[in-house]
Amino acid sequence: MRAAAGRPFLQGGEMGHHIYLDHNATTPVDPRVREAMEPYLEGAFGNPSAAHRLGRQAKAALEESREVVAGLLGTTDKDEVVFVSSGTEADNLAIAGTTLAYQDRGRHIITSAVEHPAVLETCAALEKGGFSVTYLPVDGQGMLDPQDLRRAIRPDTVLVSLMHANNETGVLFPLAEVAAIAREQGILFHTDAVQSFGKISLHVRHLGIDLLSISGHKIYGPKGVAALYVRRGVRLYPLLQGGGQERGRRAGTENIPAIVGVAEAARLMLFEMTGEAERIHKLRDRLEANISGGIEGVTVNGQQSPRLPHTSNLSFDGIESQTLVAALDLEGIAVSAGSACHVGNLQPSHVLRAMGRTADEVEGSIRFSLGRLTREGDIDRVLEILPRLVAGLRENAPVAR
Ligand code: PLP
């Protein structure tokens, strides 16, 4: 389906939703990204390892894309970018790849209690293999105390992995400060920047970061493609073995159309970042202020912390979030209950639990995440509908307050 002229995106109705407020879960492919990808799906389909013209053409596209992504991340060294299949793979490769490569130095990892499962589950798997992991706590506003990191460091600590922005609350960790602590101690530092990249500024060299994950489908690029920044000199044990692609760090024939797509998506994100962040921030603040001002019993999770400009995580007293999500869905409004990136996940949010929220607050939490598709009228519509839905649900299915 092609976007009609003058209509940058598929409109809600065509996607089954009129109002999409779930951009942290995923985003649609921007038509400009699709256009950049198209030549590589059709005519220019070569394998970049092949010696003939089609192969060289694919190889050129791969290396140009690598250069673009490197530049946008803040490095001039394109070989520091490894293309992988997902943010999940980037996190796995960063954590397992480094700790397996450096285990002669020590087998202790530090992360936080609120990371994405791609980080937490990788750490849990390594624990089963004899590594030890410290999970740093957060306070009631989802914030980490850098002094806790300092205290957790041991002589055998080899890696610190702390996310930049939380996918559920949008809370931003003090990246420069924690990266500096790790660097001072000579410990590798990885950050999961899947949610923050392209939304707020980020510069790997300025921040002194060793490894950083981004993902295509969170930035209006295709799904199933991502990149891991790996500072030159950092060793990685490859998790995929085979043909030696990506300079031996990730075997497998490169997905050229997707890689071209993620590079173009990243370029557009950064090019449009300032204006978009301002526009969306205003819409988010209006949404949040009117909901918490107009509906009783609403808590804004992480409100006192620095946050991404487009994410709002709200707990509604006396509401079951799944029911509210379903009620909004019937009205054509797409939002998430807590973290809904993992299909069928009905687990109470580990992020809100780590923030000390009560069982009811966790149970009643909804995430609104705004983006390129969001317009003023969408916010008006949510503000018109939501008070009625919340009142109705509270009346019909009262949950003990
Ligand atoms: N890290 C964070 C913070 C995320 O929000 C997500 C996706 O929701 C991921 C990692 C995983 O990325 P992907 O969906 O590309 O595997």
Side-chain angles (χ1 to χ4, degrees), residues 38-69:
E38 261 164 19
Y40 300 94
L41 290 164
E42 295 165 13
F45 62 85
N47 184 327
S49 298
H52 48 68
R53 191 180 54 80
L54 278 173
R56 288 197 305 276
Q57 189 180 30
K59 176 85 175 162
L62 172 64
E63 294 310 320
E64 264 166 44
S65 302
R66 198 186 306 283
E67 199 164 348
V68 168
V69 173

PDB file of all heavy atoms in Angstrom, residues 38-69:
ATOM      1  N   GLU A  38      13.422   0.594  -1.190  1.00  0.00           N
ATOM      2  CA  GLU A  38      12.858  -0.107  -2.346  1.00  0.00           C
ATOM      3  C   GLU A  38      13.874  -0.602  -3.383  1.00  0.00           C
ATOM      4  O   GLU A  38      13.802  -1.759  -3.808  1.00  0.00           O
ATOM      5  CB  GLU A  38      11.756   0.734  -2.994  1.00  0.00           C
ATOM      6  CG  GLU A  38      10.395   0.252  -2.544  1.00  0.00           C
ATOM      7  CD  GLU A  38       9.271   1.236  -2.802  1.00  0.00           C
ATOM      8  OE1 GLU A  38       9.444   2.145  -3.642  1.00  0.00           O
ATOM      9  OE2 GLU A  38       8.236   1.093  -2.129  1.00  0.00           O
ATOM     10  N   PRO A  39      14.854   0.221  -3.774  1.00  0.00           N
ATOM     11  CA  PRO A  39      15.803  -0.273  -4.794  1.00  0.00           C
ATOM     12  C   PRO A  39      16.511  -1.556  -4.368  1.00  0.00           C
ATOM     13  O   PRO A  39      16.884  -2.368  -5.212  1.00  0.00           O
ATOM     14  CB  PRO A  39      16.816   0.871  -4.916  1.00  0.00           C
ATOM     15  CG  PRO A  39      16.147   2.074  -4.346  1.00  0.00           C
ATOM     16  CD  PRO A  39      15.130   1.589  -3.368  1.00  0.00           C
ATOM     17  N   TYR A  40      16.674  -1.755  -3.064  1.00  0.00           N
ATOM     18  CA  TYR A  40      17.430  -2.918  -2.571  1.00  0.00           C
ATOM     19  C   TYR A  40      16.554  -4.155  -2.399  1.00  0.00           C
ATOM     20  O   TYR A  40      17.044  -5.243  -2.138  1.00  0.00           O
ATOM     21  CB  TYR A  40      18.168  -2.537  -1.279  1.00  0.00           C
ATOM     22  CG  TYR A  40      19.121  -1.407  -1.564  1.00  0.00           C
ATOM     23  CD1 TYR A  40      18.738  -0.082  -1.355  1.00  0.00           C
ATOM     24  CD2 TYR A  40      20.357  -1.658  -2.143  1.00  0.00           C
ATOM     25  CE1 TYR A  40      19.569   0.964  -1.694  1.00  0.00           C
ATOM     26  CE2 TYR A  40      21.198  -0.616  -2.489  1.00  0.00           C
ATOM     27  CZ  TYR A  40      20.801   0.687  -2.252  1.00  0.00           C
ATOM     28  OH  TYR A  40      21.636   1.713  -2.604  1.00  0.00           O
ATOM     29  N   LEU A  41      15.248  -3.953  -2.532  1.00  0.00           N
ATOM     30  CA  LEU A  41      14.339  -5.105  -2.503  1.00  0.00           C
ATOM     31  C   LEU A  41      14.200  -5.669  -3.902  1.00  0.00           C
ATOM     32  O   LEU A  41      13.887  -6.833  -4.096  1.00  0.00           O
ATOM     33  CB  LEU A  41      12.958  -4.679  -1.993  1.00  0.00           C
ATOM     34  CG  LEU A  41      12.866  -4.322  -0.520  1.00  0.00           C
ATOM     35  CD1 LEU A  41      11.591  -3.549  -0.233  1.00  0.00           C
ATOM     36  CD2 LEU A  41      12.921  -5.589   0.333  1.00  0.00           C
ATOM     37  N   GLU A  42      14.398  -4.800  -4.882  1.00  0.00           N
ATOM     38  CA  GLU A  42      14.145  -5.202  -6.265  1.00  0.00           C
ATOM     39  C   GLU A  42      15.455  -5.363  -7.030  1.00  0.00           C
ATOM     40  O   GLU A  42      16.167  -6.337  -6.820  1.00  0.00           O
ATOM     41  CB  GLU A  42      13.175  -4.198  -6.910  1.00  0.00           C
ATOM     42  CG  GLU A  42      11.805  -4.235  -6.227  1.00  0.00           C
ATOM     43  CD  GLU A  42      10.908  -3.056  -6.555  1.00  0.00           C
ATOM     44  OE1 GLU A  42      11.213  -2.299  -7.493  1.00  0.00           O
ATOM     45  OE2 GLU A  42       9.895  -2.890  -5.844  1.00  0.00           O
ATOM     46  N   GLY A  43      15.825  -4.355  -7.827  1.00  0.00           N
ATOM     47  CA  GLY A  43      17.001  -4.485  -8.708  1.00  0.00           C
ATOM     48  C   GLY A  43      18.313  -4.743  -7.981  1.00  0.00           C
ATOM     49  O   GLY A  43      19.071  -5.647  -8.331  1.00  0.00           O
ATOM     50  N   ALA A  44      18.580  -3.971  -6.945  1.00  0.00           N
ATOM     51  CA  ALA A  44      19.893  -4.040  -6.291  1.00  0.00           C
ATOM     52  C   ALA A  44      19.868  -5.054  -5.153  1.00  0.00           C
ATOM     53  O   ALA A  44      19.995  -4.705  -3.984  1.00  0.00           O
ATOM     54  CB  ALA A  44      20.280  -2.650  -5.778  1.00  0.00           C
ATOM     55  N   PHE A  45      19.692  -6.319  -5.536  1.00  0.00           N
ATOM     56  CA  PHE A  45      19.448  -7.353  -4.514  1.00  0.00           C
ATOM     57  C   PHE A  45      20.698  -8.154  -4.140  1.00  0.00           C
ATOM     58  O   PHE A  45      20.624  -9.160  -3.441  1.00  0.00           O
ATOM     59  CB  PHE A  45      18.361  -8.325  -5.022  1.00  0.00           C
ATOM     60  CG  PHE A  45      18.784  -9.035  -6.270  1.00  0.00           C
ATOM     61  CD1 PHE A  45      19.551 -10.197  -6.188  1.00  0.00           C
ATOM     62  CD2 PHE A  45      18.452  -8.543  -7.520  1.00  0.00           C
ATOM     63  CE1 PHE A  45      19.972 -10.848  -7.329  1.00  0.00           C
ATOM     64  CE2 PHE A  45      18.878  -9.192  -8.676  1.00  0.00           C
ATOM     65  CZ  PHE A  45      19.644 -10.341  -8.576  1.00  0.00           C
ATOM     66  N   GLY A  46      21.859  -7.707  -4.615  1.00  0.00           N
ATOM     67  CA  GLY A  46      23.068  -8.530  -4.480  1.00  0.00           C
ATOM     68  C   GLY A  46      23.452  -8.849  -3.052  1.00  0.00           C
ATOM     69  O   GLY A  46      23.013  -8.195  -2.098  1.00  0.00           O
ATOM     70  N   ASN A  47      24.294  -9.883  -2.949  1.00  0.00           N
ATOM     71  CA  ASN A  47      24.860 -10.251  -1.646  1.00  0.00           C
ATOM     72  C   ASN A  47      26.145  -9.434  -1.472  1.00  0.00           C
ATOM     73  O   ASN A  47      27.044  -9.524  -2.321  1.00  0.00           O
ATOM     74  CB  ASN A  47      25.168 -11.757  -1.647  1.00  0.00           C
ATOM     75  CG  ASN A  47      25.661 -12.237  -0.295  1.00  0.00           C
ATOM     76  OD1 ASN A  47      26.343 -11.509   0.431  1.00  0.00           O
ATOM     77  ND2 ASN A  47      25.322 -13.464   0.042  1.00  0.00           N
ATOM     78  N   PRO A  48      26.256  -8.666  -0.402  1.00  0.00           N
ATOM     79  CA  PRO A  48      27.432  -7.804  -0.267  1.00  0.00           C
ATOM     80  C   PRO A  48      28.756  -8.552  -0.205  1.00  0.00           C
ATOM     81  O   PRO A  48      29.815  -7.948  -0.373  1.00  0.00           O
ATOM     82  CB  PRO A  48      27.178  -7.028   1.040  1.00  0.00           C
ATOM     83  CG  PRO A  48      26.024  -7.657   1.696  1.00  0.00           C
ATOM     84  CD  PRO A  48      25.285  -8.472   0.689  1.00  0.00           C
ATOM     85  N   SER A  49      28.718  -9.865  -0.010  1.00  0.00           N
ATOM     86  CA  SER A  49      29.981 -10.632  -0.017  1.00  0.00           C
ATOM     87  C   SER A  49      30.382 -11.047  -1.432  1.00  0.00           C
ATOM     88  O   SER A  49      31.477 -11.567  -1.636  1.00  0.00           O
ATOM     89  CB  SER A  49      29.833 -11.899   0.841  1.00  0.00           C
ATOM     90  OG  SER A  49      29.556 -11.540   2.173  1.00  0.00           O
ATOM     91  N   ALA A  50      29.477 -10.854  -2.402  1.00  0.00           N
ATOM     92  CA  ALA A  50      29.767 -11.295  -3.773  1.00  0.00           C
ATOM     93  C   ALA A  50      30.691 -10.308  -4.484  1.00  0.00           C
ATOM     94  O   ALA A  50      30.652  -9.111  -4.228  1.00  0.00           O
ATOM     95  CB  ALA A  50      28.457 -11.448  -4.551  1.00  0.00           C
ATOM     96  N   ALA A  51      31.524 -10.839  -5.405  1.00  0.00           N
ATOM     97  CA  ALA A  51      32.548 -10.004  -6.042  1.00  0.00           C
ATOM     98  C   ALA A  51      32.027  -9.234  -7.256  1.00  0.00           C
ATOM     99  O   ALA A  51      32.668  -8.300  -7.708  1.00  0.00           O
ATOM    100  CB  ALA A  51      33.715 -10.895  -6.455  1.00  0.00           C
ATOM    101  N   HIS A  52      30.842  -9.614  -7.785  1.00  0.00           N
ATOM    102  CA  HIS A  52      30.368  -8.955  -9.010  1.00  0.00           C
ATOM    103  C   HIS A  52      29.708  -7.608  -8.716  1.00  0.00           C
ATOM    104  O   HIS A  52      29.611  -7.192  -7.565  1.00  0.00           O
ATOM    105  CB  HIS A  52      29.414  -9.893  -9.764  1.00  0.00           C
ATOM    106  CG  HIS A  52      28.369 -10.497  -8.886  1.00  0.00           C
ATOM    107  ND1 HIS A  52      27.372  -9.751  -8.312  1.00  0.00           N
ATOM    108  CD2 HIS A  52      28.190 -11.779  -8.461  1.00  0.00           C
ATOM    109  CE1 HIS A  52      26.604 -10.542  -7.593  1.00  0.00           C
ATOM    110  NE2 HIS A  52      27.087 -11.779  -7.652  1.00  0.00           N
ATOM    111  N   ARG A  53      29.242  -6.979  -9.785  1.00  0.00           N
ATOM    112  CA  ARG A  53      28.726  -5.610  -9.686  1.00  0.00           C
ATOM    113  C   ARG A  53      27.569  -5.497  -8.674  1.00  0.00           C
ATOM    114  O   ARG A  53      27.534  -4.584  -7.856  1.00  0.00           O
ATOM    115  CB  ARG A  53      28.278  -5.133 -11.076  1.00  0.00           C
ATOM    116  CG  ARG A  53      27.960  -3.646 -11.157  1.00  0.00           C
ATOM    117  CD  ARG A  53      27.531  -3.243 -12.570  1.00  0.00           C
ATOM    118  NE  ARG A  53      26.433  -4.055 -13.058  1.00  0.00           N
ATOM    119  CZ  ARG A  53      25.148  -3.878 -12.737  1.00  0.00           C
ATOM    120  NH1 ARG A  53      24.800  -2.909 -11.932  1.00  0.00           N
ATOM    121  NH2 ARG A  53      24.211  -4.674 -13.236  1.00  0.00           N
ATOM    122  N   LEU A  54      26.640  -6.478  -8.758  1.00  0.00           N
ATOM    123  CA  LEU A  54      25.497  -6.408  -7.829  1.00  0.00           C
ATOM    124  C   LEU A  54      25.958  -6.528  -6.369  1.00  0.00           C
ATOM    125  O   LEU A  54      25.428  -5.885  -5.472  1.00  0.00           O
ATOM    126  CB  LEU A  54      24.494  -7.532  -8.135  1.00  0.00           C
ATOM    127  CG  LEU A  54      23.528  -7.272  -9.274  1.00  0.00           C
ATOM    128  CD1 LEU A  54      22.723  -8.540  -9.580  1.00  0.00           C
ATOM    129  CD2 LEU A  54      22.583  -6.118  -8.951  1.00  0.00           C
ATOM    130  N   GLY A  55      26.963  -7.355  -6.172  1.00  0.00           N
ATOM    131  CA  GLY A  55      27.521  -7.523  -4.829  1.00  0.00           C
ATOM    132  C   GLY A  55      28.185  -6.244  -4.354  1.00  0.00           C
ATOM    133  O   GLY A  55      27.984  -5.800  -3.216  1.00  0.00           O
ATOM    134  N   ARG A  56      28.956  -5.639  -5.262  1.00  0.00           N
ATOM    135  CA  ARG A  56      29.663  -4.390  -4.879  1.00  0.00           C
ATOM    136  C   ARG A  56      28.679  -3.274  -4.575  1.00  0.00           C
ATOM    137  O   ARG A  56      28.878  -2.478  -3.673  1.00  0.00           O
ATOM    138  CB  ARG A  56      30.621  -3.967  -6.012  1.00  0.00           C
ATOM    139  CG  ARG A  56      31.856  -4.859  -6.139  1.00  0.00           C
ATOM    140  CD  ARG A  56      32.932  -4.189  -6.961  1.00  0.00           C
ATOM    141  NE  ARG A  56      32.460  -3.759  -8.289  1.00  0.00           N
ATOM    142  CZ  ARG A  56      32.401  -4.558  -9.371  1.00  0.00           C
ATOM    143  NH1 ARG A  56      32.779  -5.818  -9.287  1.00  0.00           N
ATOM    144  NH2 ARG A  56      31.971  -4.085 -10.535  1.00  0.00           N
ATOM    145  N   GLN A  57      27.574  -3.283  -5.338  1.00  0.00           N
ATOM    146  CA  GLN A  57      26.539  -2.262  -5.127  1.00  0.00           C
ATOM    147  C   GLN A  57      25.921  -2.432  -3.721  1.00  0.00           C
ATOM    148  O   GLN A  57      25.732  -1.468  -2.990  1.00  0.00           O
ATOM    149  CB  GLN A  57      25.477  -2.486  -6.210  1.00  0.00           C
ATOM    150  CG  GLN A  57      24.424  -1.438  -6.315  1.00  0.00           C
ATOM    151  CD  GLN A  57      23.445  -1.800  -7.439  1.00  0.00           C
ATOM    152  OE1 GLN A  57      23.215  -2.994  -7.723  1.00  0.00           O
ATOM    153  NE2 GLN A  57      22.889  -0.788  -8.074  1.00  0.00           N
ATOM    154  N   ALA A  58      25.643  -3.682  -3.353  1.00  0.00           N
ATOM    155  CA  ALA A  58      25.065  -3.957  -2.029  1.00  0.00           C
ATOM    156  C   ALA A  58      26.074  -3.597  -0.938  1.00  0.00           C
ATOM    157  O   ALA A  58      25.721  -3.017   0.094  1.00  0.00           O
ATOM    158  CB  ALA A  58      24.668  -5.428  -1.933  1.00  0.00           C
ATOM    159  N   LYS A  59      27.322  -3.929  -1.177  1.00  0.00           N
ATOM    160  CA  LYS A  59      28.385  -3.643  -0.208  1.00  0.00           C
ATOM    161  C   LYS A  59      28.519  -2.123   0.008  1.00  0.00           C
ATOM    162  O   LYS A  59      28.678  -1.647   1.145  1.00  0.00           O
ATOM    163  CB  LYS A  59      29.705  -4.228  -0.742  1.00  0.00           C
ATOM    164  CG  LYS A  59      30.918  -3.939   0.089  1.00  0.00           C
ATOM    165  CD  LYS A  59      31.045  -4.944   1.189  1.00  0.00           C
ATOM    166  CE  LYS A  59      32.334  -4.746   1.964  1.00  0.00           C
ATOM    167  NZ  LYS A  59      32.265  -5.405   3.254  1.00  0.00           N
ATOM    168  N   ALA A  60      28.406  -1.381  -1.104  1.00  0.00           N
ATOM    169  CA  ALA A  60      28.513   0.077  -0.999  1.00  0.00           C
ATOM    170  C   ALA A  60      27.360   0.618  -0.157  1.00  0.00           C
ATOM    171  O   ALA A  60      27.550   1.488   0.703  1.00  0.00           O
ATOM    172  CB  ALA A  60      28.515   0.704  -2.390  1.00  0.00           C
ATOM    173  N   ALA A  61      26.154   0.075  -0.384  1.00  0.00           N
ATOM    174  CA  ALA A  61      24.988   0.541   0.385  1.00  0.00           C
ATOM    175  C   ALA A  61      25.168   0.210   1.861  1.00  0.00           C
ATOM    176  O   ALA A  61      24.847   1.015   2.754  1.00  0.00           O
ATOM    177  CB  ALA A  61      23.719  -0.116  -0.154  1.00  0.00           C
ATOM    178  N   LEU A  62      25.717  -0.974   2.126  1.00  0.00           N
ATOM    179  CA  LEU A  62      25.942  -1.399   3.518  1.00  0.00           C
ATOM    180  C   LEU A  62      26.919  -0.444   4.209  1.00  0.00           C
ATOM    181  O   LEU A  62      26.656   0.042   5.316  1.00  0.00           O
ATOM    182  CB  LEU A  62      26.493  -2.834   3.496  1.00  0.00           C
ATOM    183  CG  LEU A  62      26.978  -3.429   4.815  1.00  0.00           C
ATOM    184  CD1 LEU A  62      25.819  -3.554   5.797  1.00  0.00           C
ATOM    185  CD2 LEU A  62      27.614  -4.815   4.573  1.00  0.00           C
ATOM    186  N   GLU A  63      28.019  -0.165   3.527  1.00  0.00           N
ATOM    187  CA  GLU A  63      29.048   0.663   4.180  1.00  0.00           C
ATOM    188  C   GLU A  63      28.627   2.125   4.274  1.00  0.00           C
ATOM    189  O   GLU A  63      28.969   2.802   5.238  1.00  0.00           O
ATOM    190  CB  GLU A  63      30.395   0.495   3.462  1.00  0.00           C
ATOM    191  CG  GLU A  63      30.962  -0.923   3.588  1.00  0.00           C
ATOM    192  CD  GLU A  63      30.995  -1.463   5.025  1.00  0.00           C
ATOM    193  OE1 GLU A  63      31.328  -0.710   5.962  1.00  0.00           O
ATOM    194  OE2 GLU A  63      30.636  -2.651   5.234  1.00  0.00           O
ATOM    195  N   GLU A  64      27.852   2.581   3.294  1.00  0.00           N
ATOM    196  CA  GLU A  64      27.328   3.955   3.395  1.00  0.00           C
ATOM    197  C   GLU A  64      26.367   4.057   4.575  1.00  0.00           C
ATOM    198  O   GLU A  64      26.386   5.025   5.326  1.00  0.00           O
ATOM    199  CB  GLU A  64      26.560   4.332   2.123  1.00  0.00           C
ATOM    200  CG  GLU A  64      27.396   5.097   1.123  1.00  0.00           C
ATOM    201  CD  GLU A  64      26.706   5.147  -0.226  1.00  0.00           C
ATOM    202  OE1 GLU A  64      25.472   5.393  -0.274  1.00  0.00           O
ATOM    203  OE2 GLU A  64      27.391   4.904  -1.239  1.00  0.00           O
ATOM    204  N   SER A  65      25.538   3.048   4.744  1.00  0.00           N
ATOM    205  CA  SER A  65      24.577   3.051   5.858  1.00  0.00           C
ATOM    206  C   SER A  65      25.327   3.029   7.188  1.00  0.00           C
ATOM    207  O   SER A  65      24.952   3.710   8.145  1.00  0.00           O
ATOM    208  CB  SER A  65      23.650   1.830   5.789  1.00  0.00           C
ATOM    209  OG  SER A  65      22.971   1.823   4.565  1.00  0.00           O
ATOM    210  N   ARG A  66      26.394   2.257   7.235  1.00  0.00           N
ATOM    211  CA  ARG A  66      27.183   2.159   8.462  1.00  0.00           C
ATOM    212  C   ARG A  66      27.790   3.537   8.802  1.00  0.00           C
ATOM    213  O   ARG A  66      27.800   3.957   9.951  1.00  0.00           O
ATOM    214  CB  ARG A  66      28.313   1.135   8.236  1.00  0.00           C
ATOM    215  CG  ARG A  66      28.930   0.623   9.526  1.00  0.00           C
ATOM    216  CD  ARG A  66      30.134  -0.284   9.253  1.00  0.00           C
ATOM    217  NE  ARG A  66      29.892  -1.395   8.349  1.00  0.00           N
ATOM    218  CZ  ARG A  66      29.251  -2.505   8.686  1.00  0.00           C
ATOM    219  NH1 ARG A  66      28.786  -2.652   9.908  1.00  0.00           N
ATOM    220  NH2 ARG A  66      29.087  -3.477   7.820  1.00  0.00           N
ATOM    221  N   GLU A  67      28.247   4.205   7.749  1.00  0.00           N
ATOM    222  CA  GLU A  67      28.859   5.517   7.958  1.00  0.00           C
ATOM    223  C   GLU A  67      27.826   6.522   8.467  1.00  0.00           C
ATOM    224  O   GLU A  67      28.106   7.321   9.367  1.00  0.00           O
ATOM    225  CB  GLU A  67      29.447   5.990   6.624  1.00  0.00           C
ATOM    226  CG  GLU A  67      30.472   7.058   6.808  1.00  0.00           C
ATOM    227  CD  GLU A  67      31.323   7.235   5.554  1.00  0.00           C
ATOM    228  OE1 GLU A  67      31.264   6.395   4.630  1.00  0.00           O
ATOM    229  OE2 GLU A  67      32.042   8.238   5.519  1.00  0.00           O
ATOM    230  N   VAL A  68      26.620   6.459   7.901  1.00  0.00           N
ATOM    231  CA  VAL A  68      25.547   7.372   8.322  1.00  0.00           C
ATOM    232  C   VAL A  68      25.215   7.130   9.793  1.00  0.00           C
ATOM    233  O   VAL A  68      25.172   8.056  10.610  1.00  0.00           O
ATOM    234  CB  VAL A  68      24.283   7.169   7.441  1.00  0.00           C
ATOM    235  CG1 VAL A  68      23.071   7.871   8.027  1.00  0.00           C
ATOM    236  CG2 VAL A  68      24.548   7.658   6.023  1.00  0.00           C
ATOM    237  N   VAL A  69      25.009   5.872  10.161  1.00  0.00           N
ATOM    238  CA  VAL A  69      24.624   5.559  11.552  1.00  0.00           C
ATOM    239  C   VAL A  69      25.756   5.960  12.506  1.00  0.00           C
ATOM    240  O   VAL A  69      25.511   6.559  13.554  1.00  0.00           O
ATOM    241  CB  VAL A  69      24.238   4.067  11.694  1.00  0.00           C
ATOM    242  CG1 VAL A  69      24.015   3.690  13.155  1.00  0.00           C
ATOM    243  CG2 VAL A  69      22.991   3.760  10.881  1.00  0.00           C
TER     244      VAL A  69
END
